[in-house]
């Protein structure tokens, strides 16, 4: 399994009369890598900043968005290394950095998919089981689940940790390439096995689960009547659900062509030999990398809270002033409302319930003013006197 640059290097050095676009392709790849890196680091850095700095942004959904942004930032730091490799057309960063590259790539591949699956499950709980999920949809549990996502991604990517290494370049003598060297003499080609392994665990299963969760969420939102939820709460649910659904849709659009191309290669003995395949391979790879850059723009366009927080961050205002302009989202729960008692009900909910009981047991007041009841000399009540 070679890097994106390897396919270009092999073809450019084995074909004497290359098409013009293949001569320009390495430079276009470099520009795309650096552009994705710059925009992605700025955007995801802003996401991390506003979620960590502004108290009203510390919600359950935003915890998962923060986790996704951290994974994207980690991967985007590898793109300058790929751009440098594209220039020199061989690996110059050593054995350790080769392993680090594949580890970070695998974290972005598997961790991103697992995180989106977790966000979909959270939306399902928030929309379809709003009362039952109160106990579980807390920032503390969200943090624990994010750590589980990283641990699971680390376990799934163990093959890349074990078998990634530098090896002698097939074209440039005395130079090295960064690849995954699988054991030989296996019943199934190791390259093909790993592509199926990555496709099933890193794309197929997560996207299938996401689809199931969102079908249930959409069905629920279509059948929720006005008597069950307030109009504002329904709008809040729809806003957050639309944001998460858009993030997932963009993820599928960016990664589906890449995986379709990889599966086609499996059935064609994994050879990128023609110029058109090289062009497609690079385009689909860049498109998949661009997914790490696009999410902050989606947050800015689809979330009022993120848009306001981004503007406040650029204006360098204090976190207290920023929190005043950011509204609470009804479908997610800020940290301040997550103190649970033994009965599993928050203090805010208890106040709500007690006020509802009080209003149902006591008669409605006839006026906002205080009323004083007087008796006459025979002990009978006089008409009430307003004070």
């Amino acid at each position: 399994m070679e890097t994106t640059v390897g396919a270009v290097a092999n073809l450019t050095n084995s074909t004497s009369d290359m098409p013009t676009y293949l001569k320009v392709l390495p430079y276009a790849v470099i520009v795309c890598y650096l552009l994705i890196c710059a925009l992605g680091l700025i955007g995801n850095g802003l996401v991390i900043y506003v979620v960590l700095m502004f108290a009203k942004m510390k919600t359950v959904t935003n915890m998962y968005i923060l986790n996704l942004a951290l994974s994207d930032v980690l991967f985007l730091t590898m793109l300058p290394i790929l751009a440098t490799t594209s220039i020199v057309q061989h690996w110059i960063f050593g054995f350790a950095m080769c392993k680090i590259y594949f580890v970070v790539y695998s974290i972005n591949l598997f961790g991103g998919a697992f995180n989106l699956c977790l966000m979909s499950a959270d939306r399902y709980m928030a929309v379809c089981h709003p009362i039952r999920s109160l106990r579980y949809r807390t920032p503390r549990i969200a943090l624990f689940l994010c750590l589980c996502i990283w641990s699971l991604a680390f376990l799934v990517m163990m093959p890349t940790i074990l078998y990634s290494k530098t090896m002698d370049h097939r074209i440039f003598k005395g130079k090295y390439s960064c690849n995954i060297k699988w054991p030989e003499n296996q019943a199934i080609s190791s390259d093909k096995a790993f592509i199926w392994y990555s496709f099933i665990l890193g794309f197929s299963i997560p996207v299938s689960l996401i689809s199931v969760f969102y079908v249930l969420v959409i069905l629920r939102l279509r059948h929720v009547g006005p008597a069950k939820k307030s109009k504002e709460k329904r709008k809040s649910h729809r806003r957050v659900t639309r944001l998460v659904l858009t993030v997932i849709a963009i993820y599928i659009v960016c990664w589906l062509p890449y995986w379709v191309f990889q599966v086609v290669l499996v059935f064609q003995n994994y050879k990128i030999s023609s110029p058109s395949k090289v062009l497609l391979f690079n385009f689909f790879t860049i498109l998949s990398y661009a997914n790490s850059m696009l999410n902050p723009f989606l947050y800015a366009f689809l979330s009022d809270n993120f848009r306001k927080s981004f503007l406040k961050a650029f204006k360098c205002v204090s976190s207290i002033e920023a929190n005043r302009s950011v509204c609470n989202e009804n479908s997610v729960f800020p940290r301040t409302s997550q103190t649970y008692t033994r009965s599993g009900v928050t203090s805010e909910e208890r106040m709500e319930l007690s006020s509802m009981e009080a209003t149902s047991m006591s008669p409605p007041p006839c006026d906002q003013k205080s009323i004083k009841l007087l008796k006459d000399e025979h002990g009978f009540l006089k008409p009430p006197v307003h004070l």
Side-chain angles (χ1 to χ4, degrees):
M1 180 180 178
E2 287 191 312
T3 60
T4 305
V5 181
V8 180
N10 292 340
L11 193 66
T12 54
N13 289 277
S14 61
T15 306
S16 56
D17 49 345
M18 287 186 306
T20 305
Y21 66 84
L22 278 184
K23 297 179 181 178
V24 180
L25 182 59
Y27 303 100
V29 169
I30 293 170
V31 172
C32 291
Y33 283 168
L34 296 179
L35 185 64
I36 291 171
C37 179
L39 295 178
L41 287 177
I42 293 173
N44 286 288
L46 263 177
V47 172
I48 295 171
Y49 175 79
V50 299
V51 173
L52 292 179
M53 292 300 296
F54 301 153
K56 287 189 177 180
M57 294 297 291
K58 291 181 173 66
T59 63
V60 173
T61 300
N62 288 354
M63 291 289 288
Y64 302 135
I65 288 176
L66 172 65
N67 195 45
L68 191 61
L70 288 172
S71 174
D72 288 337
V73 165
L74 195 60
F75 171 72
L76 289 168
T77 56
M78 295 290 107
L79 290 186
I81 294 177
L82 286 182
T84 304
T85 306
S86 183
I87 295 173
V88 300
Q89 296 190 357
H90 61 91
W91 189 260
I92 62 174
F93 299 100
F95 175 81
M97 186 56 69
C98 179
K99 281 193 175 294
I100 291 173
Y101 163 73
F102 275 107
V103 167
V104 172
Y105 175 81
S106 300
I107 287 177
N108 182 260
L109 173 64
F110 294 109
F114 296 162
N115 197 79
L116 291 175
C117 190
L118 184 59
M119 291 171 68
S120 302
D122 176 73
R123 285 289 85 216
Y124 166 76
M125 293 296 294
V127 174
C128 299
H129 305 283
I131 303 302
R132 191 184 309 172
S133 64
L134 288 176
R135 185 187 298 270
Y136 307 105
R137 297 188 66 251
T138 68
R140 182 174 298 180
I141 293 180
L143 177 60
F144 172 75
L145 292 176
C146 289
L147 294 176
C148 290
I149 290 296
W150 285 82
S151 302
L152 181 60
F154 182 81
L155 291 176
V156 171
M157 70 185 180
M158 282 301 294
T160 61
I161 299 176
L162 295 175
Y163 297 109
S164 59
K165 58 186 295 187
T166 55
M167 58 185 68
D168 293 333
H169 204 286
R170 288 186 291 180
I171 296 174
F172 302 112
K173 301 299 181 182
K175 306 297 182 181
Y176 297 96
S177 62
C178 177
N179 299 319
I180 300 178
K181 180 65 175 178
W182 301 110
E184 297 179 355
N185 301 323
Q186 301 294 321
I188 303 176
S189 170
S190 299
D191 283 334
K192 293 181 180 179
F194 184 70
I195 288 176
W196 283 115
Y197 174 83
S198 302
F199 172 69
I200 292 172
L201 290 181
F203 187 80
S204 181
I205 292 178
V207 169
S208 299
L209 291 175
I210 288 168
S211 301
V212 171
F213 284 131
Y214 259 91
V215 167
L216 296 174
V217 166
I218 292 172
L219 290 176
R220 175 67 174 176
L221 288 175
R222 290 182 62 183
H223 291 88
V224 170
K228 294 184 178 180
K229 289 186 179 179
S230 66
K231 183 177 180 181
E232 183 60 32
K233 192 160 188 175
R234 290 202 315 277
K235 283 185 178 179
S236 179
H237 272 311
R238 293 178 188 275
R239 281 196 301 267
V240 180
T241 302
R242 184 172 63 249
L243 170 63
V244 177
L245 183 59
T246 305
V247 171
I248 293 168
I250 294 299
Y251 169 82
I252 295 175
V253 168
C254 290
W255 279 97
L256 182 60
Y258 173 84
W259 283 117
V260 170
F261 187 78
Q262 292 284 359
V263 171
V264 170
L265 288 180
V266 168
F267 290 103
Q268 295 182 354
N269 296 322
Y270 199 75
K271 292 181 180 179
I272 307 178
S273 54
S274 66
S276 59
K277 286 184 180 179
V278 172
L279 186 63
L280 284 175
F281 180 73
N282 280 271
F283 175 75
F284 292 150
T285 302
I286 290 172
L287 182 63
S288 65
Y289 292 172
N291 179 244
S292 298
M293 170 195 70
L294 294 175
N295 287 337
F297 296 97
L298 299 179
Y299 307 149
F301 280 110
L302 298 175
S303 173
D304 291 336
N305 283 353
F306 269 105
R307 184 162 54 250
K308 292 176 182 177
S309 298
F310 288 159
L311 291 175
K312 295 297 181 181
F314 278 118
K315 292 179 181 178
C316 299
V317 301
S318 66
S319 59
I320 297 177
E321 293 177 358
N323 286 330
R324 291 174 183 170
S325 65
V326 177
C327 60
N328 285 326
E329 294 172 323
N330 291 326
S331 56
V332 287
F333 301 93
R335 179 179 295 178
T336 53
S337 65
Q338 296 303 322
T339 306
Y340 284 80
T341 62
R342 294 180 181 176
S343 62
V345 183
T346 62
S347 57
E348 291 183 3
E349 288 174 321
R350 184 181 294 108
M351 291 173 63
E352 241 180 61
L353 292 173
S354 60
S355 64
M356 289 171 61
E357 291 174 0
T359 54
S360 62
M361 293 174 62
S362 59
C366 58
D367 201 346
Q368 298 292 334
K369 301 178 182 180
S370 301
I371 298 176
K372 183 177 180 180
L373 299 177
L374 301 176
K375 295 182 179 180
D376 60 7
E377 61 272 19
H378 300 291
F380 295 102
L381 290 177
K382 291 183 177 181
V385 178
H386 292 274
L387 297 178

